[in-house]
Amino acid sequence: IKHPLQHTWTLWYFEPDKNKTWEENQRKVTSFDTAEDFWSLYNHIKSASELQIGCDYSMFKQGIKPMWEDDANKRGGRWLINLDRKLRNTDLDHFWLETLLCIIGEAFNGYSDEICGAVVNIRAKTDKIGVWTANANNKDSVLEIGRKLRERLKIASKINICYQIHKDVMVKTGSQAKNAYVV
Ligand code: M7G
């Protein structure tokens, strides 16, 4: 018997194609609901650091699209970890794997219900890992998820990580949105 996960998760892959809309470029890869199937998938696909610039992986609970507009995300936001491209070959894959293990393993104490998914963006200067939560107003859960993420990723204490509300990100550009919370 395989080891069941609490939720079924879907992996999405984004590859930029100028002839298509952003939404059309988001492709569902596959879904899984056991630890063993997670590892077969993880071992089968390219690591995040091997993706081309401009590509993303997203892993979300089944039924939630990796988009601000989804009902599950529209009141939410993300904990954002910026990683200079110099760290792409040393830290990125490790941080992304640990992020995935945190979400599928329900590591956020009583707050895992608030988790929608996680995204890794491969970008020219700064790669990004985002952990998306359902409700930016649930301060206690947002902060606890941020603290746990820091702890599990072993983020150095001199580095702050910031939470951005999707509604703010939509109207600004990229990472320039104001930070609603910091841990
Ligand atoms: P990004 O890929 O999150 O970061 O957003 P980047 O600026 O580092 O590349 C790039 C652009 O993709 C945004 O300005 C939007 O045009 C589009 N985009 C990103 N997200 C996460 C969404 C989304 O959830 N919904 C829609 N409609 N567009 C998005």
Side-chain angles (χ1 to χ4, degrees), residues 46-143:
K46 282 186 182 175
S47 63
S49 64
E50 290 171 313
L51 297 181
Q52 299 290 317
I53 303 292
C55 294
D56 308 331
Y57 278 138
S58 302
M59 195 172 287
F60 275 71
K61 285 176 180 165
Q62 190 174 46
I64 306 180
K65 291 183 180 161
M67 303 172 189
W68 307 315
E69 296 86 349
D70 193 282
D71 277 343
N73 295 321
K74 64 186 185 194
R75 282 168 233 89
R78 63 172 174 178
W79 281 108
L80 180 61
I81 298 161
N82 287 303
L83 289 163
D84 189 278
R85 65 163 178 219
K86 288 185 199 121
L87 302 174
R88 192 174 296 150
N89 293 320
T90 52
D91 297 289
L92 176 71
D93 290 335
H94 162 73
F95 277 6
W96 176 237
L97 175 58
E98 196 60 25
T99 301
L100 293 177
L101 294 177
C102 282
I103 66 172
I104 70 171
E106 316 275 327
F108 300 102
N109 303 326
Y111 297 112
S112 285
D113 283 351
E114 287 283 321
I115 298 289
C116 297
V119 181
V120 60
N121 307 115
I122 306 305
R123 297 293 182 271
K125 285 190 185 133
T126 310
D127 300 325
K128 289 177 277 183
I129 292 175
V131 172
W132 289 35
T133 77
N135 197 325
N137 292 324
N138 291 350
K139 188 175 179 187
D140 290 350
S141 43
V142 171
L143 287 175

